Amino acid sequence: MTDKELIESAKEASKCSYSPYSKFKVGAALLCDDESLFTGCNVENASYSATCCAERTALFSAVAAGKCHFKKIAVAGSGDGTFAIITQPCGVCLQALSEFCSGDFQVVLTDRSGIRRMKLSEFLPYPFTKDELR
Ligand code: THU
């Protein structure tokens, strides 16, 4: 699957976003090592703090389906349907991804000029890991 297709899947997933409070629709598409694909959208809550981002929705769906080896994730968010500005994964989602993904894991983002590729380690150079629990 190309990065462009991955971004298109993320945009498609954002259509299911439940975001009556922020009105900001986010979609994520997580590509597994075996080429299977899991998508997610943000699901907001009246309590606000119970909101789940699109990235974690996709990640937890994949893990619940028995997948825990991943190649890359695409994220696309928009308040107006244009996806003109990059949506950066939040710190909680980066930490959640870091449980399963190495620093080289690719994060594929989009804005009006096209596709941007980052590594997980560029966003979160020092994740909290199981090593800290010793
Ligand atoms: N959101 C995501 O789903 N992913 C991100 O990477 C950033 C933020 C959601 C959470 C909330 O529903 C809305 O965007 C506004 O913060």
Side-chain angles (χ1 to χ4, degrees), residues 1 6 9 29-39 58 61-63 65-73 105:
M1 171 170 275
L6 203 60
S9 296
L30 180 64
L31 186 64
C32 304
D33 265 5
D34 65 3
E35 288 291 317
S36 56
L37 183 70
F38 288 81
T39 59
S61 296
V63 174
K67 311 288 178 178
C68 54
H69 299 290
F70 306 112
K71 269 187 185 162
K72 51 179 85 171
I73 191 168
F105 175 76

Side-chain angles (χ1 to χ4, degrees), residues 123-134:
F123 282 117
L124 189 67
Y126 301 106
F128 185 87
T129 71
K130 61 182 183 316
D131 296 337
E132 273 75 50
L133 290 174
R134 276 179 303 180

